């Protein structure tokens, strides 16, 4: 597929749009598809938010966006859009891929043979050793190792794959390495030709809610994800679930039933994850894996398409939707069935309410009233 490059002006507009208040990746795509370009969407944001019941929507100025680009380049990083050739190829084949990433380092991010290795922060010596062996052997087979730069299993996997290629996905800005103890590791990854990547801007300090977003990127960049030691309730299991939602392979290293750190991985195996005793188990499964063969969730984003022709919602339709919504996440299809509102109009109404900050979107296109 031939991708159209953005002009410098369009890149600034894309950055302003994705950095605007209450605009996430899926909302970004919906806005551009509806209005035809980022500039037109930016012009429409205040009106949409007011119709949804909001008083104000924060939109960065052009100067602020240009300043972010300049500061990013000043630290040796770059902004990569989904239309650029160095955007992670597998990440394009997930629902709502980030339209803009901040990237530092070499070209490891563009590799198609990618495996995620994640696990416990308080990993055992045996768990760290297993992560190192898997990362080393997979690297020899030509796979780039992707992980989350956390202590424990993540750090062990990154260290073992420095020379063969590794990608560290971060929950905060590139100038806020977390945990701080891995700052030297992050520096070593870049110096070895690996890559740091985040969807957050410079200056962003990671919050608890940002780590599941980070985990979603880990899963989306990879052909498959390996879990090495994980408690029953852990971020690693969130990564495994997100990988399954994105049609990626999930692998798990078995462990002792007496070790709580093995409980999550053993449970995954019981649920159908592929048991791993060595890199050969992973390579055999991933040889023919290719997310590009799956149907794309959404069409390519362009910044010069004609705006979609859809009638504005009526006050009656807006009222019916607000009545149907609750604090429990509800699927779009269920809202359409409950209200009788046509799908194109429903999309606009949900967009208005989201921009106004009155509802929040979760995975699987579920919507709930904000608490």
């Amino acid at each position: 597929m031939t991708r159209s490059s953005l002009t410098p002006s369009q890149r600034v507009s894309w950055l302003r749009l994705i950095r605007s208040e209450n605009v996430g990746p899926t909302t970004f795509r919906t806005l551009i598809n509806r209005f035809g370009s980022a500039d037109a969407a930016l012009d429409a944001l205040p009106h949409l938010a007011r119709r949804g019941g909001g008083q104000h929507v924060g939109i960065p100025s052009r100067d602020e966006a240009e300043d972010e680009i300049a500061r990013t380049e000043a630290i040796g990083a770059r902004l990569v859009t989904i239309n650029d050739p160095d955007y992670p190829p597998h990440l394009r084949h997930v629902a709502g891929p980030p339209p803009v990433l901040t990237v530092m380092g070499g070209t490891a991010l563009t590799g198609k043979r990618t495996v995620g290795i994640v696990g416990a922060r308080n990993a055992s010596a045996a768990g760290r050793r297993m992560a190192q062996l898997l990362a080393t052997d997979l690297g020899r087979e030509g796979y780039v190792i992707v992980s989350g730069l956390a202590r424990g299993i993540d750090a062990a996997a990154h260290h073992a794959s420095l020379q063969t290629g590794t990608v560290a996905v971060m929950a905060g800005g590139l100038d806020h390495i977390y945990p701080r103890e891995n700052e030297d590791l992050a520096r070593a990854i870049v110096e070895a030709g690996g890559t740091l990547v985040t969807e957050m801007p410079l200056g962003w300090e990671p919050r608890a809610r940002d780590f599941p977003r980070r985990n979603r990127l880990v899963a989306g960049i990879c052909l498959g994800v390996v879990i090495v030691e994980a408690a029953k309730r852990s971020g690693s299991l969130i990564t495994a679930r997100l990988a399954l939602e994105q049609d990626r392979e999930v692998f798990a290293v078995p462990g002792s039933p007496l070790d709580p750190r093995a409980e999550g991985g053993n449970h995954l195996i019981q649920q159908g994850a592929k048991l791993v005793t060595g890199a050969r188990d992973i390579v055999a499964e991933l040889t023919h894996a290719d997310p590009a063969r799956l149907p794309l969730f959404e069409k390519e984003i362009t910044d010069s398409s004609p705006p979609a022709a859809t009638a504005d919602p009526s006050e009656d339709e807006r009222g019916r939707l607000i009545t149907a919504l609750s604090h429990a996440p509800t699927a779009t299809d269920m809202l359409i069935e409950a209200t009788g509102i046509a799908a194109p109009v429903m999309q606009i109404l949900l967009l208005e309410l989201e921009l106004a900050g009155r509802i929040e979107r979760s995975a699987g296109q579920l919507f709930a009233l904000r608490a």
Side-chain angles (χ1 to χ4, degrees):
M1 179 188 298
T2 301
R3 299 187 179 275
S4 55
S5 298
L6 299 176
T7 66
S9 178
Q10 287 173 323
R11 294 174 77 84
V12 171
S13 296
W14 272 42
L15 186 59
R16 292 180 65 204
L17 184 58
I18 192 58
R19 299 291 190 242
S20 294
E21 187 178 8
N22 298 324
V23 175
T26 301
T27 307
F28 177 98
R29 183 182 292 265
T30 301
L31 285 163
I32 288 192
N33 287 344
R34 168 136 178 91
F35 295 100
S37 71
D39 281 330
L42 286 165
D43 289 341
L45 281 186
H47 178 60
L48 290 170
R50 283 195 298 270
R51 286 202 325 206
Q55 299 300 314
H56 173 76
V57 57
I59 303 173
S61 68
R62 181 165 287 271
D63 286 346
E64 288 172 325
E66 290 174 344
D67 179 64
E68 180 181 339
I69 294 173
R71 288 186 294 112
T72 300
E73 293 175 349
I75 66 168
R78 59 196 183 275
L79 293 172
V80 174
T81 78
I82 195 171
N83 284 7
D84 294 334
D86 49 347
Y87 189 89
H90 302 319
L91 193 57
R92 289 192 174 104
H93 301 272
V94 302
V100 180
L101 297 171
T102 306
V103 177
M104 178 184 288
T107 60
L109 194 63
T110 63
K112 291 189 175 181
R113 302 180 75 184
T114 46
V115 178
I117 298 179
V118 298
R121 289 175 171 81
N122 63 333
S124 68
R128 291 194 297 272
R129 179 59 179 157
M130 186 64 179
Q132 291 169 345
L133 289 172
L134 290 174
T136 299
D137 292 345
L138 286 167
R140 289 172 180 158
E141 294 290 333
Y143 284 88
V144 170
I145 303 303
V146 182
S147 198
L149 202 63
R151 59 176 65 92
I153 296 301
D154 290 25
H158 286 308
H159 275 296
S161 55
L162 284 174
Q163 302 310 312
T164 53
T166 189
V167 173
V169 186
M170 296 171 50
L174 290 183
D175 53 348
H176 282 280
I177 304 298
Y178 182 87
R180 293 288 297 275
E181 67 197 60
N182 282 345
E183 287 181 351
D184 288 344
L185 173 56
R187 192 175 303 112
I189 289 171
V190 173
E191 290 173 351
T195 311
L196 308 180
V197 60
T198 180
E199 61 180 315
M200 299 306 187
L202 291 180
W204 190 273
E205 294 193 36
R207 307 159 301 175
R209 71 181 71 174
D210 297 322
F211 289 94
R213 292 182 65 170
R214 185 272 313 268
N215 296 346
R216 173 175 169 273
L217 293 191
V218 171
I221 290 170
C222 298
L223 293 171
V225 173
V226 187
I227 309 300
V228 183
E229 291 191 341
K232 192 70 174 288
R233 298 180 183 276
S234 66
S236 299
L237 294 195
I238 293 175
T239 306
R241 175 178 59 77
L242 294 168
L244 289 172
E245 290 177 358
Q246 295 171 173
D247 290 307
R248 304 306 197 255
E249 299 291 341
V250 175
F251 306 88
V253 175
S256 169
L258 301 178
D259 188 344
R261 290 169 295 196
E263 193 174 3
N266 290 343
H267 178 72
L268 286 174
I269 293 169
Q270 290 176 325
Q271 298 299 310
K274 296 168 180 65
L275 186 150
V276 170
T277 59
R280 63 186 179 278
D281 301 322
I282 301 165
V283 173
E285 291 291 337
L286 295 184
T287 299
H288 303 293
D290 183 5
R293 295 178 182 174
L294 301 169
L296 285 171
F297 287 89
E298 294 111 347
K299 65 182 181 179
E300 177 186 359
I301 304 177
T302 62
D303 199 74
S304 57
S305 57
T310 304
D312 288 338
S314 68
E315 286 302 319
D316 175 68
E317 288 169 325
R318 188 172 288 106
R320 295 198 326 254
L321 173 58
I322 292 172
T323 300
L325 285 163
S326 72
H327 294 291
T330 307
T332 307
D333 289 348
M334 187 177 297
L335 292 171
I336 290 172
E337 182 179 352
T339 61
I341 298 172
V345 177
M346 176 64 73
Q347 185 181 61
I348 299 169
L349 285 168
L350 292 171
L351 180 62
E352 292 173 356
L353 293 171
E354 190 174 12
L355 291 172
R358 297 179 65 185
I359 62 173
E360 53 189 358
R361 181 195 304 259
S362 57
Q365 296 300 293
L366 302 176
F367 295 87
L369 293 171
R370 285 188 182 272

